[in-house]
Amino acid sequence: KAGVTQTPRYLIKTRGQQVTLSCSPISGHRSVSWYQQTPGQGLQFLFEYFSETQRNKGNFPGRFSGRQFSNSRSEMNVSTLELGDSALYLCASSLVMGDGTDTQYFGPGTRLTVL
Amino acid sequence: ELKVEQNPLFLSMQEGKNYTIYCNYSTTSDRLYWYRQDPGKSLESLFVLLSNGAVKQEGRLMASLDTKARLSTLHITAAVHDLSATYFCAVLNYGGSQGNLIFGKGTKLSVKP
């Protein structure tokens, strides 16, 4: 079974530009979450989508947005990039197990560098 | 606001030794997770702990959860070099959906011969 895939794996942008990152969850998973990982702030929750609806949003400015398509694939967009947006962006999809547990499976991440 | 604290943040161990990583969280939550991250890699799920007193073991790693104390531990038994990685605990944000995890800062473990 294919894992979570993210594209592109690496991106270099300049301040003021915008960027779109893509995430394809594991087949059958309907929940997709996005996280930002930086050395200073660690792993921070951005938002979560389920069946094309945003269920939760973290404490990030409105420049960060996302969406989910009917096939559960998700994109996140960052507009007006700032140097501080340089980070590893991780996408995770999850499946609720029969015993009520759930496991989030993380993709390899997109490394964004803002110059 | 839910906060998750891990300690220690850095841990240098010798092979064969035992040690414990601690994860404290500030408010009630339904679930606690442990993840492993190798340098330059993504996160790998290790354990999901649901209830008070839950204990799970996989190889040399054992995780436990005390919801009353809001404390989880990750115990490493007879460490080997392959366990060198950064370990994160994460807590489901209460009232949030399953996708909203609050992570600790991570414990960078280095196992030396």
Side-chain angles (χ1 to χ4, degrees), chain B residues 5-26:
Chain B
E5 289 188 2
Q6 276 182 249
N7 70 83
L9 298 183
F10 299 93
L11 179 55
S12 181
M13 297 176 64
Q14 280 195 311
E15 280 191 331
K17 299 291 186 182
N18 304 332
Y19 210 84
T20 300
I21 299 171
Y22 298 88
C23 174
N24 289 90
Y25 53 100
S26 60

Side-chain angles (χ1 to χ4, degrees), chain A residues 12-68:
Chain A
I12 299 176
K13 293 285 187 179
T14 56
R15 280 181 297 174
Q17 287 186 310
Q18 74 165 21
V19 67
T20 299
L21 313 181
S22 180
C23 170
S24 293
I26 293 171
S27 177
H29 289 197
R30 294 166 65 189
S31 171
V32 174
S33 298
W34 289 89
Y35 295 86
Q36 181 197 64
Q37 185 176 27
T38 60
Q41 298 299 317
L43 278 152
Q44 294 183 283
F45 171 74
L46 280 157
F47 26 65
E48 187 223 355
Y49 288 88
F50 182 84
S51 294
E52 301 179 67
T53 300
Q54 186 181 89
R55 290 207 294 194
N56 270 295
K57 190 176 190 308
N59 189 24
F60 278 81
R63 300 184 297 106
F64 292 81
S65 63
R67 59 178 175 169
Q68 186 180 35

Side-chain angles (χ1 to χ4, degrees), chain A residues 35 37 48 56 94 102 107, chain B residues 31 33 37 42 50 97-99:
Chain A
Y35 295 86
Q37 185 176 27
E48 187 223 355
N56 270 295
S94 60
D102 68 288
Chain B
R31 296 170 195 173
Y33 304 76
Q37 187 176 38
S42 189
L50 292 182
S97 60
Q98 62 190 37

Side-chain angles (χ1 to χ4, degrees), chain B residues 4 12 14 29 31 35 42 44 70 86 91 104:
Chain B
V4 180
S12 181
Q14 280 195 311
S29 175
R31 296 170 195 173
Y35 288 92
S42 189
E44 174 191 352
R70 296 178 189 152
T86 300
V91 178

Side-chain angles (χ1 to χ4, degrees), chain A residues 31 33 35 37 40-43 45 48 55-56 88 90 94-96 99-104 106-109, chain B residues 31 33 35 37 40-45 48-50 56 88 92-93 95-105:
Chain A
S31 171
S33 298
Y35 295 86
Q37 185 176 27
Q41 298 299 317
L43 278 152
F45 171 74
E48 187 223 355
R55 290 207 294 194
N56 270 295
L88 179 67
L90 292 165
S94 60
L95 171 69
V96 178
D99 61 356
T101 63
D102 68 288
T103 298
Q104 287 205 29
F106 282 80
Chain B
R31 296 170 195 173
Y33 304 76
Y35 288 92
Q37 187 176 38
K41 304 287 187 180
S42 189
L43 295 169
E44 174 191 352
S45 175
V48 181
L49 302 170
L50 292 182
K56 290 195 175 180
F88 292 93
L92 184 68
N93 200 8
S97 60
Q98 62 190 37
N100 183 357
L101 296 181
I102 306 300
F103 282 84
K105 292 289 188 186

